[in-house]
Amino acid sequence: MYKSISLSSTVLLCFALSACGTNPSRSGGSIPVDVPPVTQPVSIDGVVDDTDVDPNSVAGRAPKERVIFFDFNKSELRPEYLDIITQHGRYLAQNPTGRARLEGHTDERGTREYNIALGEARAKTIARMLQLQGVSSAQLRSVSYGEELPVDEAHNEDAWSKNRRVNIIYEVEIQN
Amino acid sequence: MFISRMSKPASKTLKALLGLCCLWLASTSYVHAVIEIEITQGGESAIPIAIVPFGWNGGGNPPEDIAGIVSADLQRSGNFSPFNRADLIASPVSGDKPRYGNWRLAGAEFLLIGSVNKSAESYGVEFQLFDISQQKLLTGFNFKVSDQTLRNAAHQIADEVFEEILGIRGAFNTQIAFVSVEGKSRQKSYKLQLADADGKNPKAMLTSPRPILSPSWAPDGIRIAYVSFENRNRSAIYVQDRQKGSRKKVISKAGINGAPSWSPDGTRLAVTLSFEGNPDIYILNVNDGQTRQITRSPAIDTEAVWADDQTLIFTSDRSGGPQLYEVPASGGRATRITFEGNYNASATVSADGKNIAFVHGSEVGYSIGTLDRESGLFQVLTDGSLDESPSFAPNGQMIIYATEKGGRGTLGAVSLDGSVSQSLSLDTGGVREPAWSPFTN
C-alpha cells in the first residue's frame, strides 16, 4: 500500500521537519557511571568463603556441605538434602551468633525476572526448614540472583543441574 | 487459533554483513568492540528502491556515507530491497531531474538522491525521493547538522522514506539499550549500554562488577530504570538520566526489587517486590517513593508491563506454570490471557497496545511468541531455544530479543509477521536484555 502526497503538503512537511531538524543532543550525553569496586571478594558459589574463613570461627566450624541442588522449575527440597539441612539447622541453633546468607540460583532457562523469583523461593525453602529447627530469622538472610551467576556456563542439562542451587554462605563477621 | 512457526531461513538467505568498521566505545575498558548486524532472512515482497550515493561538496572524502546508511536501514526493515551500487544506472544528485524511463527499465519503483554540503561548522544535507511509475517528487527537504549528528540525519531520511512509501512511521532514528557481559566467572564486567538502532555508537551508561538487569525506558527517552546487584546482599532499582549521567536509587527493600516498567505518563514504575514475603506487583511513585500493592497471591507474580495507563500485564504461576495475566492498574481481579503451552512470560506491549510479545516455552525450548489482543491470534516468531527479553520497536514493526548463538549471547530482531530476521552481536562478549527506545521527537 503505497502512499503518495501532493507536492504542496510535502513542502509543509519539509518546513515542519526542518524546524525540529536533527536534535544534536539526541546522540550525546550518556556519561558512564562507575560503580565503586566491591572491596570484599565476590563469592558466587561459596567456595571462596570456605577457604578464607578462620577454621576456629563460627563460620569455619559450620557443616562443610553448603550447596543444595534443586529440580528444574522447582523450589521444593529434594529428600536427599534433608540430612544436610538438619546439620546446618542444628549448628546455627546451637551458635546463635552465626549468620548465614542463603543465595538462591536457577538455570538459564526461562525469563530472568521469573528466575529471580524462583531463586528466592528456593532460598526461602531452605530458610523455612532451618527456622523449623530453631534457627532465628535474624541469623538468616536470603538473596536471589536468579540465572545471573551460573557455576557452569554451558547450555546443557549437566550445567543446568549444577546451576539450580542454594549456596549457604556463613558470614565471617560474628555479631555479639 | 493456530501456531505458525517460522520456517528455516529462506532459500535465498540474505547475508549482508553490515557494520564491519571498528567502533571505539566511550568506556575506557573497551578497546574496539565491533557490533555486527546480520540479516538472516529477508522479506519476500521487498520494494525495489535505487539509493544513489549522495553528492558531496566539501573537499576530501565525505565523513559519512549517507546513502549507505539509508540503504542499510531500509534493507534491515525487510520492506525494501535497495539496489546494489553496481546496479545503479546513473548518479544523479540533488537538483538533477531523474530519467524516469531508464530507472523504470532498471526495475526501480522509487529513487532517492541527495547531496551533502559542508559549510564552516556544519553540514547541509538535502534529499529528494521520487516515485518512478508516477514520475513525480514525493518528498524532499534539507537540514543542517553537525559532525556528531550526520548519522542521525541519515536515519531520519530513512524514516522519511519509510513513512512516505509505507505510511508507517520509521524507527531508524531510535536507540537500543542492552546489557553486555565480558570476562570469565568472578572477573565479570557488566555494562548497561546504549547504541543506535543499527547497533552503531555503543556507549556504556553503567559499568559494574555485578549483574545489571531489566533496563526499561521512560516514555521521555531520557531516563532508564534498571535493577543492579552492586550491593551483594540486596538488589536495588535505579533510575538514571542518560543526558546528565546522574542516577537515583528508587527502591531497595528486603527480598526482590525487580522488573521495573514505566507508566505511560512517566511518573510511576510497576515493580516486583517481595518484602512482604512473596513476589507481588507494586506501583512505585518515582518522585516520592510511595508504593502501592497491586497483586496479592501466594504465587510468583512478576514482570509487569503497562498495556495502557489503566492496565498491567504480568507473569504469574498461580495456575501452575508461568502465564500472562491482565489486571487493572488500580488493583483488582487478574484475568489470565495466555493459554498456549505451559510457559508464557515476560510480556512486552506494542506502543499501540494491539500486540503482546513474550517468551513462549515448549518442548523444543524458549521462543518469542506474540498475541494479537483483539483477535486472540497466537504466533511463534522465532525458532531459537533460549530466546528471551522481547522488546517492540516504537513503531511496532520489529521485535528485538536476546538469543544465544555459538555459546554467546546475541540480539535478534524479527518482524511482527516473522518474515524478516536479523542478528546483532558484540565481538568482545555477550549481549542480552535489549530494550528499544521510544520515539524521542
Side-chain angles (χ1 to χ4, degrees), chain A:
Chain A
M1 254 142 288
Y2 296 177
K3 187 191 74 161
S4 62
I5 54 175
S6 68
L7 197 59
S8 59
S9 68
T10 304
V11 171
L12 282 175
L13 177 74
C14 301
F15 272 106
L17 280 158
S18 55
C20 45
T22 305
N23 180 358
S25 66
R26 206 181 306 135
S27 68
S30 59
I31 301 158
V33 174
D34 281 305
V35 172
V38 174
T39 47
Q40 288 187 328
V42 177
S43 160
I44 56 163
D45 55 13
V47 178
V48 172
D49 293 51
D50 278 350
T51 52
D52 288 357
V53 166
D54 173 1
N56 297 316
S57 70
V58 170
R61 287 180 280 110
K64 297 290 173 233
E65 193 72 56
R66 297 178 186 179
V67 189
I68 312 293
F69 295 98
F70 289 78
D71 289 334
F72 174 57
N73 237 344
K74 294 277 189 291
S75 55
E76 291 83 28
L77 189 76
R78 290 190 339 216
E80 67 258 40
Y81 291 109
L82 208 52
D83 185 43
I84 294 168
I85 295 299
T86 307
Q87 290 173 35
H88 285 281
R90 199 177 297 143
Y91 182 78
L92 279 165
Q94 286 166 5
N95 294 277
T97 58
R99 298 283 184 275
R101 189 172 70 248
L102 307 170
E103 287 189 355
H105 301 271
T106 70
D107 68 33
E108 64 180 341
R109 291 174 293 171
T111 68
R112 290 177 185 276
E113 288 283 2
Y114 184 79
N115 281 338
I116 294 277
L118 181 59
E120 183 181 67
R122 288 174 177 164
K124 286 193 169 159
T125 294
I126 306 300
R128 251 194 321 274
M129 302 209 60
L130 294 174
Q131 286 174 45
L132 282 174
Q133 296 175 74
V135 178
S136 150
S137 63
Q139 289 177 272
L140 302 173
R141 193 152 50 170
S142 300
V143 61
S144 171
Y145 286 105
E147 64 181 273
E148 305 306 318
L149 300 175
V151 170
D152 187 332
E153 298 199 12
H155 309 289
N156 55 49
E157 181 50 46
D158 183 46
W160 294 332
S161 66
K162 289 184 219 160
N163 294 335
R164 297 188 295 262
R165 69 201 193 276
V166 168
N167 294 115
I168 303 172
I169 296 169
Y170 282 87
E171 299 193 333
V172 180
E173 294 114 300
I174 301 165
Q175 299 164 11
N176 46 3

